[in-house]
Amino acid sequence: MKSRFWCFAAALAASTVLMAPLVPAQADDTSFYAEAAKPYKGSTIRVLDEITPLQETLSKIVPDFEKETGIKVEWELLNHFEVINKGQADMLSGRGYYDAIMLHGFQLGPMISAGVIRELNDFVADPKLANPNLNSADFIQNPFKTAAFVGEKQYSFINWNYNQIYWARADLLNDPGEKEAFKAKYGYELAPAATIEQMRDIAEFFTRKKGAMLAGKPLESDFYGIVLEGIKGGSTFPTLWNNFVKNYGGNLIDAAGKPDFDSPQTVAALKMWHELWTFAPPGIAEYSLVDVPTVMGNGIAAQSIAWSDFVLGIDKPGVSPLAGKFVYGPIPIKAGSTERYAEAEPSVTVISAASKNPEATFIFLQWLADKKQQDKLIALGSGGVPIRESSWALPAITGSANKTLYVAMKATLDVAEAKPKMPKFYEIYDVMSGVAQEVGLGRISPEEGAKKGQAELLKLCTSCLL
Amino acid sequence: MAEAQSRPEGSTALLWTSITVVYAAIMLFPIFWMASMMVKPNDAMFARPTQFLFVPTLEHFSYVLEHGFHWYLLTSFLLCTVSTALVVIIGTPAAYAFARFEMRAKDDLFLFILASRMAPPVCLVIPFYLIFAKVGLLDTFLGLTLAYMTFNLSFYIWVLRSFCRDLPVELEEAAALEGWSKPQIFRRVVFPLLRNGIVATAVLCFIFAWNEFLFAFMLGGRAVQTLPVSIPKLITSQGVRWGEMAVVGMTALLPVLAVVFVLQRHIVRGLTLGAVKG
Amino acid sequence: MASASDTITPAEGVIRAPRERLWYPYLLIAPSMIMLVVVSLVPFLYTIYLSFHAAKFGRVTDFVGFDNYAVLLTDPRFWNSIGVAATFVLIAVPVEFMLGLAGALVLNQNVRGRSLLVPLLFMPTMMAPIVVGLLWKIMLAGSWGFFSYNVLERFNLLEGTSVFASPEYALYALIFVDIWQWTPFMMLAFFAGLQALPTGPYRAAAVDGASPLQMFFHITLPMMTPLLAVIGLLRFIDAFKVFDTIYILTGGGPGIATETPSILANKMTFEFWNIGEASALAVLVWLAFFAFCNVFYQVAKKRLNAF
């Protein structure tokens, strides 16, 4: 009851306080979609999206579109792997069952090179279809620009700003006994890690055997300093690539798209990657992006790097016994580094080239990205992952109990970029996640890992960009 | 063979029975553990240390029902029934023909039937998908029914042929002397005698279809969703819903277990793929 | 064992059709044959067609001859997958075979409550493979699996790694799961065979004072041979195709340590969308199986009288 009231209050606050100055524009917007949709009234569009807490909340808003425009939306949610499998199969076979399909940033390279995404430039230039008040300057620019465009060609707006954040146990970091011991050992204050080196120290410090003391209580089972994603596939490799390799000054490919994985910087990053794995639970090489938050939620590790949208699903009373005892931060960077990188996966909903209702779908995509729907989404979800700069000021975010979560999220999104558009992304992903595993497990040395990665990359492409 | 033994009955029976029971207990423990997860509260699910005792909950059942998993159960049931029925209707005459009649290139034809089951299913899915996408059979009842023919029709013909072969040919010859036509003989003599074999083989086909995942996943969709395909829906953003998964997994097992329980003799015989005379 | 073939005389069970009724058996098999042509032959011919074309992303473009085959046959990953499958099959199937036979012999003794035990023992084979995969994830998953946590980690048997995260153990764990799943199938099929054996020879042997071991090797085993061969080889082929459980438990990892041809084919199609190459793989696997089955069918039919 209480939380529902809070939601309502937040929604009310959002609509009165923030919308007040925009009222005239607001009225225009509503009539715009109704007006633009007139020729397509009564049609049905099918949209495939993936299931995360964000989409679950969005499901409650989607029916409003039909009320507003008379266009029916069949809204289907499948899990991560299914969306990729079935969405791509639908587009690539030219079946066109789905008019719009959610694609992760990394899917864009392969799908654009296959020519199965409809370009939007003509729609965007069409005054009958394009909403003049969409205000795309309000989209968080880095992810929007890198995900939605290739050169001048626009393929989408921006829909989901998935991003990774640093996640730690506040109750442990704030424990006076632990703080004292940590300072004695490492010579600086125990606090959420700002650098990768600090993250390593904290990981080492909290890795303890069963029976040892943790925050004054004996451990009933082993406890680990960190948990990372380590499964083959999933986002294991992007985690390594963007949070470690890039922050160490290395990269997968250079600006021209040539493989560039065997630099000394990459070797240093791989060394750290392996070291962190030694402080992680033995199952790390099995952990997927779903397991990592679950492990953190069950309280067997002190820190993690995880997807913030999943954190939203775990750090809630009734889901995790530790809800409310977490602290978040920006992805740690290498000590002394001036540039900052962080893994994010800006994701978009695109119109299938085989769609029979591209105009109606285009109207829907704008409607989704519209400020009104985005504000509602964040209010209903008591927070969320913003795609618009203006969303950071919404009361559901400024008043959130998880304040540090949004600070962390904003830090990541400020530098977030969609993956470079590489047609062979899947092949690259597949071999590189194998390398990430082998190095993490200590099967091969960081030097060998860098060399092997480079060799495998060169086998796949010498110029890897679209 | 049992009759050939001449040891005192009681003590050896106890020995062999205990060996079997102990073996079964060890082998079935994981299934028992999963069954217990059906009523295990989430916070006790993977608690460390493992919780063997807990207050049972029905929340997993209500989640499964609220999210309409009983509809997937119904879909599975209808789909498997229809596809199995089709297999029986077109496969029975073929099995009979292969057992009873001379045909040119019979060996080759029979080998063709066997061979149709040889390719790894994962290799067939894409051709199916591309063809189905062209002719509009994706996510249709008919499409999946046809796809299931690839593995079930050949199996059915193969196994039922052995049941046919064991029928005494004299009855058919007598009926032929009476002046019955061949369709009459098939309908009135062969079919009734074959009934047990048909049921047993059909049940096995039903089980294969019931458990099938890959075809149902790629070729099905929103309109036709089977129970195994519904399981990945339980991998959600709040983690994997293990309790619900246990409910669905056990629900999928129970009908099959019940049928095998009732028809065990025939089914076991069907499993030998015709290499055993009944 | 009865046998049917075109060389057998009518008295042994084959009705010779009168000349004017030659079409009758063809009429009986026609619906099935048409169906199999539609659902098996057509997709397969399409696969062959795709295997000779560039079909990245499922877009059929140029005819490339044997290029896809050449790429595949020179790809170490392909040979790795064959090696993985060979290890899998060569360990799993013989163990299933032995355990199944031993179990069948036990079950064939005067076990009480057999009608209850048989369906229960059969449960692993009846479960959907996807559920079997999840079940063993619950048992063996690193850190939280029931068995991993209570046994492997407690006694530190794996020294800081976990079952499916270790290239050494992962494949053996998958083999173990396959054995768990399919031994009951072997056991019950063999049990059915034992039950069907005639009792006469055993009585005669008992009169001659033969030991149980002698009876097993001189009577049981020879009479069971056709059944053992059929079941063993069928399982051999099926084990080579295993997909669902591996997909769920390791997805082919860590690295490519458990990547079988089925898993590789899945990756080639649904991740890389190299449809041409995946089709070439399908054709090769199919050809190998077909050759194998052809030989097996001829041998089983002539030597073992098994069909």
Side-chain angles (χ1 to χ4, degrees), chain A residues 82 90 102-103 157 322 381 402 424 443 452:
Chain A
E82 293 179 307
D90 189 79
M102 179 271 194
L103 296 180
F157 299 102
L322 296 164
N402 269 342
K424 290 212 164 169
R443 305 264 147 199
K452 182 171 176 191

Side-chain angles (χ1 to χ4, degrees), chain B residues 86-103 109 113 153 156-157 164 172 181-187 190 194, chain C residues 15 17 21-35:
Chain B
L86 189 59
V87 165
V88 171
I89 291 167
I90 68 172
T92 310
Y96 175 66
F98 275 112
R100 272 289 184 272
F101 298 105
E102 263 188 60
M103 279 179 273
L109 287 174
I113 288 182
L153 186 56
Y156 182 84
I157 295 174
C164 290
E172 291 157 57
S181 70
K182 293 214 177 225
Q184 275 177 321
I185 296 175
F186 183 71
R187 235 185 13 254
V190 179
L194 259 183
Chain C
I15 295 177
R21 285 294 174 81
L22 264 176
W23 51 268
Y24 183 64
Y26 297 102
L27 183 72
L28 291 181
I29 66 166
S32 290
M33 284 304 173
I34 293 169
M35 180 64 86

